[in-house]
Amino acid sequence: MAFSSNSSGGAMADMNVTPLVDVMLVLLIIFMVTAPPLSYQIQVDLPQKSTVDPPKEKEPPEPIDIHVQAGGTVAWNGSPVPMATLQSQFNVEGARDVQPTINITIDPEAEYETLAKVLARTKNADLKKISFQE
């Protein structure tokens, strides 16, 4: 609001409505642009109730313990395994319907290269459940 005094001696107050009109026109344009898409129907395919029982979950297999030992040796559930046959064993486990969890424990003196080879073989066999144990 602006107050000014004119020569007649009384205070004259007039309101500047230009910003108000500008804001209202912007709001009108926004509503005009967004309102038509709201009036169109959108087809949504909702899931329907099924009368078929869901398949029973299979028991997960026993986890496999892999121990990376110092000196580059690897043990599969406690028994030493050559690195060459490790890939074929991982491939067999990866082809199962329900994959087992691979628990990997590492000796503090073990080489990183051996661990990297074991992890590469699990990835090549498409095994998803891998955990590290202390």
Side-chain angles (χ1 to χ4, degrees), residues 22-102:
D22 289 344
V23 169
M24 294 305 292
L25 286 175
V26 168
L27 287 174
L28 178 66
I29 291 170
I30 290 173
F31 285 125
M32 287 173 57
V33 169
T34 59
L38 295 177
S39 64
Y40 296 118
Q41 291 184 355
I42 298 173
Q43 183 65 28
V44 177
D45 295 327
L46 296 175
Q48 302 297 321
K49 184 176 180 181
S50 175
T51 59
V52 178
D53 291 334
K56 294 182 180 179
E57 293 184 20
K58 297 180 180 178
E59 285 286 323
E62 291 292 321
I64 298 170
D65 295 322
I66 302 293
H67 186 68
V68 179
Q69 301 167 347
T73 58
V74 177
W76 180 290
N77 286 336
S79 61
V81 175
M83 194 64 78
T85 61
L86 193 63
Q87 183 65 51
S88 63
Q89 288 179 321
F90 280 147
N91 287 338
V92 169
E93 297 300 328
R96 290 177 139 185
D97 291 338
V98 180
Q99 293 182 353
T101 302
I102 307 295

